[in-house]
Amino acid sequence: MKKYLPFYVAIFASILLSFWLDYRETVINPDAICYLLSAQSISLQGIKGAMQLCNQARWPFYPMLIHALAETSHLSYVASAYLLNAFFSLITVTAFMLIVKQLGASRRILWLAAATILLAHVFNSVRESIIRDHGFWACYLMSVYLLLRYFSHPRMLTALAWAAMLIIATLFRIEGAVFLLFLPLLAFFQNRQSWRQGLLHYLSLNLFLIVIALFVGAWLIIYQHHSLNQLGRVSELLNQFQQGMNIIAERYFTMKTALAQHVLSSDSVHDAGLVLIIMMTTWYLVSVISNLSWIYMALLIYAWLRQSIKFSKQANWILLGYILINVLITFAFLMQHVFLSNRYLIALSLILMLWVPFALDDLLNRRRQLAYAAAFFIGIASLGGIFDFGYSKSYIHQGGDWIAANVPPTASLYANDYQLMYYSQHFGNRIFSLLPVYTNVNAIANGKWMQYDYLALRLDQKDKWKFILTEIKSTPVAAFQNKRGDRVIIYKISGDKV
């Protein structure tokens, strides 16, 4: 019992954190709307029909899990999603500690590992978000643990379990397939083994994938009228391998030309390529550091510089493999889309955080005051992920609830906000087809708002929609706002049209 006490405490703390953050959340994240409505649609439209509903539903495993849990538990779909996410977060925390233990952690380092993952700001900041990433991170970290176990004590069952974890991770996010394809190459970089042993390890790690490839190949041969394009987003992965570099090259030359024409002077035009590379690399590095947090980055650098903090060569190769693939995926995404969300970098941050508890332990042995200072800054950095210091969005939920209770289903309703449309319960699955129109201010400009029975507007302090208020002469039937003055205003237009 005492041996596993750090795990029991971490599991209990993770459950409490998930419960607290879910309870605190007043409005679900925008992506959640797609997952929840597609999960609800499975009963009526089936999986294939639900996949056509919205972009995120094209990878249907997560909505299927929400649907299955809601149907079996009789919980609401929102509660089912929160319960699933809490379970996945618990697995992520446990897997993180198992990896640290496999890397040679003492009992004290295990406690520090629990604190490291439980206080990680960015990870906690998305705990309440209903996103498929939670399942991906859980299976992804379990694959790290299993690969460390395999190269420490090679067993076919461990190799199959590793592949199974990444296959399940791929069902959540297509990036899992990249790890599954490339990480077995690490078998040829392990020391003290012949090339035959390396090949045997490589084939063992790929056995699951080989079997799946044979089944898919047989299916394509038997059903020749089918193609890989019918395998969902697998075709996107193939397209990335085939066209990814071309897309990056095109984006690079487009940005380079724009930089030379509109930003740089005539004297520095010839350096446009270098400036662009420095700019994108700096953007990426700053994003990685802010995602990890500055205090964790400082501890990571300390761990890398300290000669006393060493992992085995096998472990270093494995962790390096995961880091390089993460960097490849995320930097390529940044170059292609000139955008990088914080949660896309969490998989990389979870690997980099593995050095943090070892660094803290070393500081406790050598410079205890610095260790206490680091713990203080970790605690300060964690507060933003655990407590909400921003302005409440409950006014959106309140506005949607008022519409659901007071606006007849047959009435025509215009709402300019995605989340407000969802909470109004007025649009059903039409929300996805109406959204591009309803979020365009021109849709109700020049008196077009008069065609609706009800008008619901979400406004902030500097909102482009405010000019509509000068056209509407009637008094709102309901209004909800937060302390900053962000608000939802609802008008009844029918009967007041001029």
Side-chain angles (χ1 to χ4, degrees):
M1 175 68 179
K2 189 176 180 180
K3 180 180 178 181
Y4 299 103
L5 186 59
F7 289 94
Y8 295 144
V9 172
I11 289 169
F12 181 69
S14 181
I15 293 171
L16 283 181
L17 266 174
S18 293
F19 175 80
W20 161 250
L21 292 170
D22 293 344
Y23 173 78
R24 186 199 71 181
E25 190 70 359
T26 55
V27 178
I28 61 172
N29 55 296
D31 284 356
I33 297 171
C34 176
Y35 295 125
L36 294 173
L37 291 183
S38 60
Q40 294 173 39
S41 299
I42 290 175
S43 296
L44 297 176
Q45 299 179 311
I47 295 172
K48 191 172 182 179
M51 288 174 64
Q52 310 304 317
L53 199 61
C54 47
N55 287 335
Q56 292 89 342
R58 292 168 58 199
W59 213 232
F61 188 60
Y62 184 52
M64 287 168 59
L65 290 179
I66 296 173
H67 172 79
L69 183 57
E71 290 296 311
T72 55
S73 67
H74 302 292
L75 292 169
S76 69
Y77 281 84
V78 174
S80 298
Y82 281 148
L83 186 58
L84 270 177
N85 290 351
F87 172 73
F88 290 137
S89 294
L90 184 153
I91 296 297
T92 301
V93 169
T94 305
F96 183 87
M97 295 178 66
L98 285 171
I99 295 168
V100 171
K101 188 173 186 293
Q102 185 66 29
L103 291 171
S106 64
R107 182 180 173 82
R108 184 170 75 175
I109 294 176
L110 271 182
W111 283 109
L112 294 172
T116 298
I117 184 66
L118 289 169
L119 296 176
H121 168 75
V122 174
F123 182 64
N124 283 333
S125 68
V126 296
R127 266 185 186 257
E128 74 278 9
S129 296
I130 299 175
I131 47 176
R132 54 197 163 98
D133 303 65
H134 293 291
F136 173 77
W137 295 325
C139 297
Y140 159 86
L141 272 193
M142 282 302 301
S143 78
V144 179
Y145 170 68
L146 289 167
L147 196 58
L148 287 167
R149 291 270 298 182
Y150 176 77
F151 282 118
S152 176
H153 299 91
R155 290 183 175 85
M156 179 58 71
L157 186 61
T158 308
L160 293 175
W162 171 82
M165 280 295 106
L166 280 180
I167 288 171
I168 298 172
T170 303
L171 293 175
F172 288 101
R173 291 197 65 88
I174 191 64
E175 295 93 313
V178 182
F179 292 94
L180 184 64
L181 288 171
F182 289 108
L183 283 172
L185 293 171
L186 292 172
F188 298 107
F189 293 89
Q190 301 301 313
N191 296 326
R192 294 173 304 195
Q193 64 179 20
S194 66
W195 69 268
R196 289 187 179 87
Q197 288 176 311
L199 182 61
L200 179 62
H201 291 323
Y202 179 79
L203 293 174
S204 297
L205 292 169
N206 274 310
L207 181 60
F208 218 138
L209 187 61
I210 292 170
V211 172
I212 291 175
L214 289 174
F215 272 109
V216 172
W219 178 77
L220 290 173
I221 292 172
I222 295 171
Y223 301 97
Q224 295 183 12
H225 59 285
H226 292 289
S227 68
L228 286 173
N229 290 331
Q230 293 175 283
L231 297 178
R233 295 188 64 194
V234 174
S235 59
E236 293 182 25
L237 181 65
L238 297 175
N239 183 63
Q240 275 294 319
F241 284 132
Q242 295 170 356
Q243 303 295 332
M245 286 305 299
N246 289 336
I247 297 171
I248 291 173
E250 289 177 8
R251 179 70 73 175
Y252 169 80
F253 285 113
T254 301
M255 291 190 293
K256 178 183 174 182
T257 302
L259 195 63
Q261 292 179 350
H262 304 293
V263 178
L264 300 178
S265 67
S266 57
D267 296 326
S268 58
V269 165
H270 62 282
D271 292 324
L274 177 61
V275 172
L276 179 59
I277 291 172
I278 293 173
M279 182 179 70
M280 297 301 288
T281 303
T282 303
W283 183 358
Y284 183 79
L285 290 175
V286 170
S287 298
V288 170
I289 293 170
S290 61
N291 191 278
L292 182 62
S293 86
W294 291 94
I295 182 60
Y296 279 3
M297 179 56 71
L299 289 167
L300 172 66
I301 294 171
Y302 174 82
W304 285 349
L305 294 177
R306 285 295 305 171
Q307 296 299 314
S308 60
I309 303 174
K310 288 184 177 180
F311 302 148
S312 69
K313 289 185 178 180
Q314 290 177 330
N316 281 328
W317 274 113
I318 291 168
L319 297 180
L320 180 62
Y322 276 93
I323 290 171
L324 289 177
I325 293 174
N326 269 303
V327 170
L328 174 68
I329 292 171
T330 50
F331 191 75
F333 185 91
L334 176 62
M335 288 297 297
Q336 289 183 20
H337 300 275
V338 199
F339 161 77
L340 195 59
S341 172
N342 281 338
R343 62 187 172 92
Y344 298 163
L345 289 167
I346 288 180
L348 175 60
S349 294
L350 289 171
I351 300 298
L352 297 177
M353 277 194 288
L354 292 169
W355 278 270
V356 170
F358 292 93
L360 286 169
D361 181 70
D362 190 77
L363 282 175
L364 283 170
N365 289 330
R366 296 173 179 273
R367 300 181 179 181
R368 191 169 291 266
Q369 289 183 337
L370 281 178
Y372 292 153
F376 172 78
F377 287 115
I378 289 172
I380 293 297
S382 72
L383 294 178
I386 299 174
F387 300 98
D388 189 359
F389 297 104
Y391 292 96
S392 172
K393 293 184 178 180
S394 60
Y395 69 98
I396 303 172
H397 203 320
Q398 293 165 357
D401 289 344
W402 188 95
I403 294 170
N406 295 279
V407 175
T410 56
S412 59
L413 169 68
Y414 179 91
N416 70 337
D417 180 76
Y418 190 26
Q419 292 159 309
L420 183 60
M421 292 172 74
Y422 171 77
Y423 283 112
S424 72
Q425 300 179 33
H426 193 85
F427 300 96
N429 292 342
R430 293 185 303 127
I431 190 172
F432 302 107
S433 59
L434 292 174
L435 183 64
V437 177
Y438 277 29
T439 52
N440 186 338
V441 69
N442 294 322
I444 56 172
N446 302 317
K448 295 177 185 176
W449 53 269
M450 290 189 291
Q451 64 186 293
Y452 297 96
D453 296 323
Y454 287 86
L455 198 65
L457 300 176
R458 178 185 173 184
L459 305 170
D460 59 30
Q461 293 298 303
K462 299 179 180 179
D463 209 297
K464 62 184 179 182
W465 300 82
K466 281 189 174 182
F467 77 94
I468 297 295
L469 303 184
T470 62
E471 296 185 22
I472 304 173
K473 305 302 181 183
S474 57
T475 303
V477 292
F480 307 89
Q481 69 176 37
N482 63 13
K483 293 181 179 178
R484 187 172 60 182
D486 303 327
R487 50 189 171 151
V488 166
I489 304 175
I490 304 167
Y491 294 93
K492 184 177 180 182
I493 304 301
S494 59
D496 296 319
K497 297 176 182 179
V498 293

